[in-house]
């Protein structure tokens, strides 16, 4: 099922894009009018080199403003609209990522070396939070599978475990100790090896052409578009290859409500709310939730023998 593009983007942005296309067709796009349109849509100045996504399903993007102003990042606060005002305490330069566990040789790599090493591409994906809000994001990143091959995992590596940085100078909620909203920091997520190797799974370093804003998980975050947003762990500092299924943060907090798999599924409700419909940021009316968030063709085979009510 395809989502109608008018369902997703606010009408004003849709109109702006039409104007933009018309201007382009007439070859009269003076730099100033381009700048004006960019300013109107609040687009950031691009600082990454990447291959554009041809956007074959014509997904209509949420605005940069929407994507960077409504966030879940508990290390700062549980208020979605406050995160962007608090996130300046996150220092992402220098930043290293440690790789260990079942690999030939554990190593540490600098984020700048990662950006240089992997060719970046844009991936325009639907993003669906378990709380039933959704958006469409033009991520910039590279396939996690490519990174995993370079980590040289051993045959015993069946899962990949990710950890957000632990630093209570940077993250005020971590500093709150027993009063924190999440008791067991750092935030942890995990994927089964085939999920991690799926070509849709990316490590993202940017969006809308620019390096990630702190509130979106700078400098490196996971994006798994067919799973609920909590799987997309932010500000990754450690990647560990494991034999056993990792205990992810939300399962640790409430195992009856959040599982390990967290595949978007309109037929399996959250114990406290329905997952049949979702609200796209900026839209008044809800739309139907798609199985695997619309990526069924690419991912359903990985779960064909599994009862998705049990493995939720
Ligand atoms: N990663 C960390 N470290 N801390 C968090 O609180 N929230 C998750 C996920 N990654 C979270 C996290 C949840 S619940 C969602 S919906 C997405 O980040 C939100 O991503 P966004 O703010 O970029 O939309």
């Amino acid at each position: 099922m395809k989502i109608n593009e008018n369902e997703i983007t606010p009408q004003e942005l849709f109109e702006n894009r039409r104007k933009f296309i018309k201007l382009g067709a007439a070859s009269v796009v003076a730099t100033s009018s381009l700048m004006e349109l960019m300013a109107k849509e609040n687009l950031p100045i691009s600082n990454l080199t990447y291959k554009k996504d041809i956007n074959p399903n014509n997904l209509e993007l949420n605005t940069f403003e929407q994507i960077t102003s409504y966030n879940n990042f508990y290390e700062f606060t549980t208020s979605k609209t406050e995160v962007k005002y608090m996130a300046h305490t996150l220092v992402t330069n220098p930043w290293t990522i440690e790789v260990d566990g079942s690999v030939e040789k554990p190593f540490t790599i600098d984020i700048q070396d990662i950006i240089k090493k992997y060719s970046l591409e844009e991936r325009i994906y639907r993003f669906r939070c378990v709380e039933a809000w959704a958006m469409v994001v033009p991520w910039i990143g590279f396939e996690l599978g490519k990174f995993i091959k370079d980590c040289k995992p051993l045959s015993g590596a069946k899962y990949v475990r990710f950890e957000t940085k632990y630093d209570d100078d940077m993250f005020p909620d971590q500093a709150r100790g027993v009063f924190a909203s999440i008791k067991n920091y750092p935030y942890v997520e995990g994927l089964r090896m085939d999920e991690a190797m799926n070509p849709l799974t990316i490590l993202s370093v940017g969006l809308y052409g620019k390096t990630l804003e702190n509130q979106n998980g700078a400098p490196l975050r996971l994006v798994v578009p067919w799973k609920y947003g909590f799987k997309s762990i932010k500000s990754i500092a450690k990647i560990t290859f494991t034999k056993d299924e990792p205990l992810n943060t939300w399962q640790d907090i409430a195992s009856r409500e959040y599982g390990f798999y967290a595949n978007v599924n309109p037929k399996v409700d959250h114990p406290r709310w329905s997952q049949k419909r979702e609200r796209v940021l900026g839209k008044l009316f809800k739309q139907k939730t798609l199985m695997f968030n619309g990526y069924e063709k690419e991912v359903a085979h990985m779960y064909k023998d599994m009862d998705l009510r049990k493995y939720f």
Side-chain angles (χ1 to χ4, degrees), residues 187-200:
Y187 193 100
V188 171
E189 257 311 333
L191 293 173
R192 211 170 60 189
M193 192 56 103
D194 58 337
E195 299 177 316
M197 294 301 293
N198 187 287
L200 287 185

Side-chain angles (χ1 to χ4, degrees), residues 134-195:
M135 56 186 176
V136 171
V137 185
W139 302 107
I140 312 289
F142 55 92
E143 284 176 21
L144 172 63
K146 292 185 181 160
F147 184 78
I148 289 181
K149 278 191 195 133
D150 291 340
C151 295
K152 303 204 173 83
L154 302 174
S155 59
K158 305 289 182 216
Y159 295 88
V160 192
R161 180 183 184 278
F162 304 84
E163 243 182 62
T164 295
K165 195 179 188 73
Y166 186 89
D167 185 326
D168 52 22
D169 287 334
M170 294 192 196
F171 293 124
D173 197 56
Q174 289 182 347
R176 294 174 71 223
V178 292
F179 301 107
S181 358
I182 292 178
K183 304 283 176 272
N184 287 334
Y185 281 121
Y187 193 100
V188 171
E189 257 311 333
L191 293 173
R192 211 170 60 189
M193 192 56 103
D194 58 337
E195 299 177 316

Side-chain angles (χ1 to χ4, degrees), residues 254-272:
S255 61
R256 228 178 53 79
E257 303 193 0
Y258 309 99
F260 174 77
Y261 284 94
N263 293 315
V264 175
N265 188 340
K267 291 188 225 116
V268 179
D269 287 337
H270 184 279
R272 288 182 284 131

